[in-house]
Amino acid sequence: MTDKLDFMREELEAAKAEKRYINIRTMDSPADAWMVVDGEKVLNFCTNNYLGLANHPKIKAAAKAAVDEWGVGPGAVRTIAGTQRLHIECEERLAAFKQVDAALLVQSGFCANQAAIAPLVGRNRETGEQDVIFSDRLNHASIIDGARLSGAKIIVYEHCDAADLEAQIKEHLSNYRRGLVITDGVFSMDGDVAPLDELYEVAARYDVMTMVDDAHGEGVLGNGRGIVAHFGLEGKFDVEIGTLSKAFGVMGGVIAGKDVAVEYIRQKARPNLFSSALTPADTAACMAAVDYVERHPELVEKLWANAEYFKAGIQELGIDTGHTETPIVPVMLGDVKLAKAFSAKLFEYGVFAMALGFPTVPKGKARIRVMNTAAHTQEDLDKGLEIFEKVARELDVIQ
Ligand SMILES: *Cc1c(COP(=O)(O)O)cnc(C)c1O
């Protein structure tokens, strides 16, 4: 007997046979430096909870108070009856934090890219007129999907390469109605940073629109204000995408930037028109998290100090840490089977750190990706490094 879902069974079996199947672990505790994962208490280096805010008492209190005052759900999309005063306050707060004119809060960072790109560029079905997106080769999946959804032509430029961006603009821009450059701020697989100043300069010279997704930069770069502040380009980008789910520890996405761009996207973005608003608890927690980050620059300093310490420790073992410029530390192992065995052994010894292999990263560049946070203590880092060393010796990565 065959049935119409057999293709799924076959694909799942194939994925298991080829070790591509994703075994999803279950967390039995909140996100923190130590977590209970599949029932085991382990030292966590996997979450994007850079500043340790995901389980912070002040931010939890803000969420609880919002539930009491505003309820658990907005009951509508933003454009009908879902815009609560909380959302407006949070947007003003985010715009001030990012030092831009305005901000639109959406349901997630992923959603922000689905929301923002299509209104800016696309294809006119009647006239066939098309716009063009210039996209970094390693941009995040949500940017790629948002770009595809827009219907605009997508031209990929080489990773972090402003000269190639310029070459692509020169070759292609004149064939299209208008152009948009989109880049990730921090690339999460390697922890490298887009050369935002150079990309901006090229985009400005050709008068194309600019958009940067700062998901891994907020709370991390620019004293916590993100990659745009890091490069001193506040207010220059037409659109800045952000997430409240990483350093801010909550959930939600933001589309920030110039007044006219945010107003236009607010009117047109489909997730704003057709998907309900962020919950009061999330919204209040986001605001509390932004306040907290602003008032506690020492958290950002701790994050960087921890990351530097961890990176130096891995390098002292004689293991390559790639070309990271952020608290993301890739422990380069090369072979994907080795990386997976390494991650499994780490877990056995009480350290939770993810192996990444092809197709997430290029073939032969498999690694363990260590996400450092401000929540780790000196003791945690020493323990983590000790276990990394032990596993590296057992698996003959070092002698
Ligand atoms: C994580 C990430 C997102 C998704 O953010 P969520 O709030 O988790 O949906 C979007 N863009 C980039 C560049 C990211 O790294």
Side-chain angles (χ1 to χ4, degrees):
M1 272 292 277
T2 64
D3 78 52
K4 62 183 183 294
L5 305 188
D6 277 346
F7 76 96
M8 298 181 192
R9 292 182 188 97
E10 281 157 25
E11 168 54 27
L12 289 170
E13 286 315 313
K16 282 176 191 164
E18 290 159 31
K19 307 266 184 245
R20 288 185 286 110
Y21 188 83
I22 307 167
N23 287 304
I24 302 173
R25 293 188 186 276
T26 303
M27 307 301 120
D28 294 304
S29 68
D32 230 322
W34 287 84
M35 306 206 320
V36 184
V37 181
D38 284 335
E40 304 287 334
K41 187 168 179 206
V42 290
L43 184 54
N44 163 44
F45 289 107
C46 285
T47 51
N48 304 316
N49 182 23
Y50 287 110
L51 301 177
L53 298 183
N55 190 35
H56 192 284
K58 278 223 163 105
I59 296 162
K60 291 199 285 190
K64 288 178 195 170
V67 169
D68 286 340
E69 192 177 353
W70 293 94
V72 289
V77 302
R78 292 287 304 270
T79 49
I80 296 183
T83 297
Q84 298 176 313
R85 185 153 309 282
L86 263 184
H87 296 115
I88 303 294
E89 283 170 16
C90 189
E91 287 171 345
E92 285 169 356
R93 199 66 204 71
L94 283 163
F97 181 77
K98 289 180 171 277
Q99 295 166 278
V100 294
D101 299 337
L104 169 64
L105 190 62
V106 294
Q107 299 86 349
S108 72
F110 193 100
C111 195
N113 281 317
Q114 310 312 295
I117 301 173
L120 300 177
V121 287
R123 178 191 179 91
N124 184 316
R125 281 207 201 92
E126 274 123 57
T127 64
E129 242 185 343
Q130 198 179 18
D131 303 318
V132 57
I133 294 171
F134 300 96
S135 178
D136 185 287
R137 180 170 294 289
L138 298 186
N139 272 345
H140 189 261
S142 60
I143 297 176
I144 296 170
D145 287 7
R148 287 181 181 154
L149 192 62
S150 75
K153 174 75 181 171
I154 300 167
I155 303 283
V156 170
Y157 64 87
E158 292 309 323
H159 178 52
C160 287
D161 187 340
D164 190 48
L165 169 64
E166 175 157 21
Q168 299 299 336
I169 290 177
K170 266 192 181 150
E171 185 177 343
H172 298 284
L173 183 63
S174 60
N175 300 328
Y176 297 91
R177 186 177 52 174
R178 55 176 176 254
L180 169 67
V181 174
I182 309 181
T183 184
D184 257 36
V186 174
F187 292 84
S188 62
M189 298 304 143
D190 289 287
D192 54 336
V193 174
L196 216 57
D197 47 352
E198 296 171 22
L199 298 173
Y200 178 77
E201 196 270 323
V202 169
R205 201 136 32 83
Y206 292 87
D207 208 24
V208 295
M209 295 181 288
T210 49
M211 178 168 155
V212 57
D213 180 344
D214 200 23
H216 284 273
E218 296 151 325
V220 177
L221 292 171
N223 299 316
R225 286 183 194 277
I227 190 171
V228 175
H230 172 78
F231 281 99
L233 293 169
E234 292 93 336
K236 296 256 202 262
F237 273 69
D238 297 311
V239 177
E240 295 177 30
I241 298 297
T243 175
L244 283 303
S245 69
K246 288 176 178 149
F248 294 116
V250 192
M251 187 69 213
V254 57
I255 301 164
K258 295 183 180 160
D259 255 333
V260 62
V262 175
E263 183 189 355
Y264 176 80
I265 290 167
R266 195 187 293 277
Q267 292 289 318
K268 297 219 165 213
R270 292 170 74 83
N272 197 48
L273 299 171
F274 299 109
S275 181
S276 290
L278 202 62
T279 69
D282 286 322
T283 309
C286 289
M287 234 185 312
V290 172
D291 279 344
Y292 199 86
V293 171
E294 214 163 45
R295 289 201 194 120
H296 294 273
E298 76 278 4
L299 266 189
V300 180
E301 283 161 27
K302 175 95 184 300
L303 165 67
W304 281 88
N306 279 357
E308 287 306 324
Y309 186 83
F310 193 91
K311 188 167 75 173
I314 294 291
Q315 286 170 349
E316 262 168 45
L317 296 177
I319 304 175
D320 179 18
T321 54
H323 46 272
T324 179
E325 301 164 70
T326 62
I328 298 170
V329 177
V331 177
M332 305 302 283
L333 296 169
D335 179 56
V336 64
K337 283 207 189 85
L338 174 63
K340 286 193 171 173
F342 203 107
S343 174
K345 254 201 186 309
L346 285 172
F347 194 78
E348 199 180 301
Y349 296 141
V351 170
F352 184 30
M354 197 62 93
L356 300 176
F358 182 78
T360 310
V361 296
K363 281 200 171 115
K365 300 249 176 170
R367 67 200 64 179
I368 302 285
R369 185 180 61 165
V370 172
M371 304 300 288
N372 286 285
T373 77
H376 291 99
T377 64
Q378 185 64 42
E379 218 184 342
D380 294 340
L381 297 176
D382 287 332
K383 175 147 187 98
L385 284 168
E386 182 194 311
I387 294 174
F388 262 85
E389 179 171 3
K390 180 168 152 147
V391 173
R393 289 193 195 287
E394 283 185 19
L395 294 179
D396 288 327
V397 172
I398 55 172
Q399 267 31 316

